[in-house]
Amino acid sequence: MTLRIGVIGTGAIGQEHIERLHNKLNGSTVVAVNDINQVQAEGIATKLTPQARVHASGQALIDNPDVDAVVVTSWGPTHEEFVLASIKAGKPVFCEKPLATTAEACLNIVNAEVASGRHLVQVGFMRRYDKSYRLLKEQIDNGNLGAPLMVHCAHRNPSVPDVYTGDMAITDSFPHEIDVLRWLLNDDYVSAQVIMPRKTRHTRADLDDPHMILLETAKGVRIDVEVFVNCPYGYDIQCQVVGEDGIGYLPEPMSVLTRKDARLSHEILQDWKLRFIESYDVELQEWIDSVKAGEVRGPTAWDGYFASVTADACVEAKHSGRIVPIEIGARPAFYDRISSNPSA
Ligand code: NAI
Ligand code: ISE
């Protein structure tokens, strides 16, 4: 059986996912698309999926009986509406991160999914599917590094679009670290602190950049993450886990070493699309397969909620200058079977 997918949001990542779901991965086809920018949606459908129906609204796409499963790649503030509507329609839904832009909205989704009695929601935390993170996790899980003590990370983007405003470094970029580090360490966060270095001249007047975010975990691991979204040299994701017995480094993306023009150098990637291209493929292939098998098994709505609560604490820490406790209620037993995370 071919899984018939409807995609809401035909912007940057929407186009990437449409292409892979329709032309690259096994067992799926894109039968419907929607974007608030109808002209763009029509253009993308013509270019990538000529047979797909272009719907006037996300709700109409979800209601289309030919759509078996939904992919939400629209702006963050629209996610809650489309994920809740998909749950209501009983359709599996893959939602790009963040699951929603407030913790309350994420909790609404958790409650709706639990009430539905079916695992329908997967969040687009693709780093869990990245080969380099999986190798690093193996080193932690097999005890080779000893107990983790500290983690040093950097999330660097060369630039961000104009729609990237306010605290999105924390609410849009940093959620990748929030999720992947929790998964990597098999641990939860208990507090957050944000320290603001002097502002780079490469950022806009209205955008703070960079941020230095400090997290403390339940097991006592200390994490520092630099989020620097106007880093002129390129897109660079770094992670170094310091354990009692050794240090594990996230492998660098493969690139050829060249000797040229009196320089010995490696290329540095320029965007997330290339850095995580294989992870998105693995993530969505596993999602397709799991939907066809009857139950999604990737990062859950609870993981999305956890990320949102953590991001909120970081935003509060940034604006108050305080160390903010991270408190989250008990995870519903509904998620025990799916999640590999501890989470109270
Ligand atoms: P984008 O701005 O390129 O595209 C978003 C699209 O959503 C636009 O075409 C916009 O017209 C559409 N949209 C807005 N409101 C809508 C509505 N009510 N109904 C239908 N469409 C609507 O943004 P981008 O970069 O594609 O990001 C989209 C989402 O994907 C964000 O949540 C972002 O955080 C996430 N993302 C995830 C990445 C990852 O690495 N997992 C990478 C890039 C984005
Ligand atoms: C973007 O939305 C993504 O999700 C990328 O993976 C991330 O690296 C970037 O910082 C975000 O803006």
Side-chain angles (χ1 to χ4, degrees), residues 193-258:
Q193 184 180 6
V194 177
I195 295 168
M196 299 305 292
R198 75 180 255 224
K199 193 163 154 167
T200 168
R201 69 185 163 86
H202 296 296
T203 192
R204 304 190 311 254
D206 63 323
L207 195 67
D208 294 328
D209 191 43
H211 291 65
M212 185 172 285
I213 305 174
L214 307 178
L215 295 172
E216 180 189 3
T217 76
K219 293 179 189 164
V221 179
R222 296 288 183 160
I223 298 169
D224 59 87
V225 184
E226 166 203 319
V227 183
F228 183 15
V229 299
N230 291 277
C231 170
Y233 74 73
Y235 186 79
D236 192 13
I237 302 299
Q238 298 287 330
C239 180
Q240 178 189 342
V241 178
V242 180
E244 287 173 327
D245 301 328
I247 299 182
Y249 296 84
L250 187 72
E252 290 285 340
M254 196 161 61
S255 75
V256 174
L257 178 67
T258 57

Side-chain angles (χ1 to χ4, degrees), residues 151-220:
V151 185
H152 310 297
C153 302
H155 183 147
R156 302 188 183 119
N157 285 36
S159 63
V160 283
D162 289 346
V163 288
Y164 192 102
T165 52
D167 291 317
M168 282 177 75
I170 296 173
T171 60
D172 193 73
S173 296
F174 185 53
H176 284 298
E177 270 77 20
I178 298 178
D179 183 72
V180 83
L181 295 176
R182 183 170 157 257
W183 168 81
L184 207 56
L185 298 171
N186 202 27
D187 205 346
D188 281 330
Y189 308 123
V190 294
S191 76
Q193 184 180 6
V194 177
I195 295 168
M196 299 305 292
R198 75 180 255 224
K199 193 163 154 167
T200 168
R201 69 185 163 86
H202 296 296
T203 192
R204 304 190 311 254
D206 63 323
L207 195 67
D208 294 328
D209 191 43
H211 291 65
M212 185 172 285
I213 305 174
L214 307 178
L215 295 172
E216 180 189 3
T217 76
K219 293 179 189 164

Side-chain angles (χ1 to χ4, degrees), residues 8-15 17 34-37 40 57-58 72-76 78-79 81-82 96-98 124-126 161 163 168 172 176 235 272 276 280 283:
I8 302 175
T10 58
I13 201 158
Q15 293 172 31
H17 285 350
N34 155 260
D35 196 287
I36 200 163
N37 180 343
Q40 175 184 271
S57 71
V72 177
T73 47
S74 47
W75 289 327
T78 66
H79 292 182
E81 176 191 344
F82 297 137
E96 261 310 333
K97 43 60 61 177
F125 288 130
M126 79 296 179
V163 288
M168 282 177 75
D172 193 73
H176 284 298
Y235 186 79
W272 46 266
F276 290 108
Y280 297 119
E283 170 192 47

Side-chain angles (χ1 to χ4, degrees), residues 23-202:
N23 293 323
K24 195 170 179 190
L25 303 180
N26 295 321
S28 67
T29 177
V30 173
V31 296
V33 297
N34 155 260
D35 196 287
I36 200 163
N37 180 343
Q38 180 101 4
V39 174
Q40 175 184 271
E42 278 162 8
I44 295 304
T46 307
K47 186 170 146 206
L48 299 178
T49 57
Q51 313 299 326
R53 184 156 168 202
V54 180
H55 284 281
S57 71
Q59 184 67 55
L61 177 146
I62 293 164
D63 292 340
N64 179 346
D66 291 336
V67 169
D68 301 320
V70 179
V71 167
V72 177
T73 47
S74 47
W75 289 327
T78 66
H79 292 182
E80 180 190 15
E81 176 191 344
F82 297 137
V83 175
L84 286 176
S86 302
I87 295 172
K88 195 166 172 205
K91 297 190 180 182
V93 52
F94 175 94
C95 179
E96 261 310 333
K97 43 60 61 177
L99 174 59
T101 45
T102 65
E104 190 190 350
C106 292
L107 194 55
N108 290 339
I109 292 172
V110 164
N111 289 336
E113 187 183 35
V114 172
S116 82
R118 288 177 61 202
H119 287 281
L120 292 169
V121 182
Q122 179 165 327
V123 185
F125 288 130
M126 79 296 179
R127 290 197 194 177
R128 295 190 193 196
Y129 299 85
D130 180 67
K131 199 169 178 187
S132 56
Y133 273 108
R134 285 185 167 184
L135 286 170
L136 184 56
K137 184 165 171 59
E138 230 173 80
Q139 290 291 315
I140 298 170
D141 288 349
N142 68 18
N144 198 31
L145 305 178
L149 306 172
M150 293 171 283
V151 185
H152 310 297
C153 302
H155 183 147
R156 302 188 183 119
N157 285 36
S159 63
V160 283
D162 289 346
V163 288
Y164 192 102
T165 52
D167 291 317
M168 282 177 75
I170 296 173
T171 60
D172 193 73
S173 296
F174 185 53
H176 284 298
E177 270 77 20
I178 298 178
D179 183 72
V180 83
L181 295 176
R182 183 170 157 257
W183 168 81
L184 207 56
L185 298 171
N186 202 27
D187 205 346
D188 281 330
Y189 308 123
V190 294
S191 76
Q193 184 180 6
V194 177
I195 295 168
M196 299 305 292
R198 75 180 255 224
K199 193 163 154 167
T200 168
R201 69 185 163 86
H202 296 296

